[in-house]
Amino acid sequence: MRKLNTLLVTGYSRAPQGTSMYEVHKHAGIVLEINFVTHTIERVDFTFVADLTKDFFKRLLEGYCLEKGLDPLIERIQNHYFAPSQQAVIVALQAAVQRYWDCVKEQNV
């Protein structure tokens, strides 16, 4: 069996009413595959309706090292993503990253 150096974590928040995200999913959801050796986001998936939005967020987040802290990544989202779901996405991201650090601490990886 192949050894993995990554963890898969998720985060969710309530989607803003009146958006297509809310109508389809009710929540903003993010899935992150993070390398626990380098603390780098390797892969990203979201509950966005449009493929373009999913692709855009992959380019925003993939390759980011979480050791730099979350503030620069949140600022990047705020500077490049202008939609009603911006805050919901940030909250989901914060939840997923917190889950990641909790898991790293628990498992001593």
Side-chain angles (χ1 to χ4, degrees):
M1 194 178 309
R2 191 174 122 199
K3 183 179 185 229
L4 294 176
N5 290 330
T6 58
L7 299 172
L8 198 68
V9 293
T10 61
Y12 298 93
S13 66
R14 186 176 171 90
Q17 289 186 357
T19 64
S20 57
M21 181 187 292
Y22 180 82
E23 297 303 321
V24 174
H25 302 291
K26 304 292 187 238
H27 291 88
I30 185 171
V31 181
L32 302 174
E33 183 178 1
I34 304 171
N35 184 308
F36 58 79
V37 175
T38 64
H39 307 293
T40 301
I41 299 172
E42 291 192 357
R43 297 183 66 204
V44 178
D45 202 3
F46 290 92
T47 57
F48 292 120
V49 175
D51 289 338
L52 177 59
T53 311
K54 291 178 185 181
D55 180 64
F56 183 78
F57 265 89
K58 286 179 182 184
R59 289 183 280 131
L60 274 179
L61 275 63
E62 287 179 355
Y64 184 80
C65 178
L66 294 173
E67 288 182 310
K68 296 177 186 175
L70 206 47
D71 288 341
L73 194 53
I74 290 170
E75 185 176 320
R76 187 173 164 109
I77 292 168
Q78 291 170 331
N79 290 334
H80 294 278
Y81 179 63
F82 298 94
S85 59
Q86 182 191 76
Q87 190 58 37
V89 168
I90 290 170
V91 170
L93 174 64
Q94 290 170 321
V97 170
Q98 183 60 55
R99 184 167 285 123
Y100 168 73
W101 288 120
D102 290 347
C103 186
V104 166
K105 186 178 176 182
E106 271 181 30
Q107 295 186 8
N108 268 340
V109 292

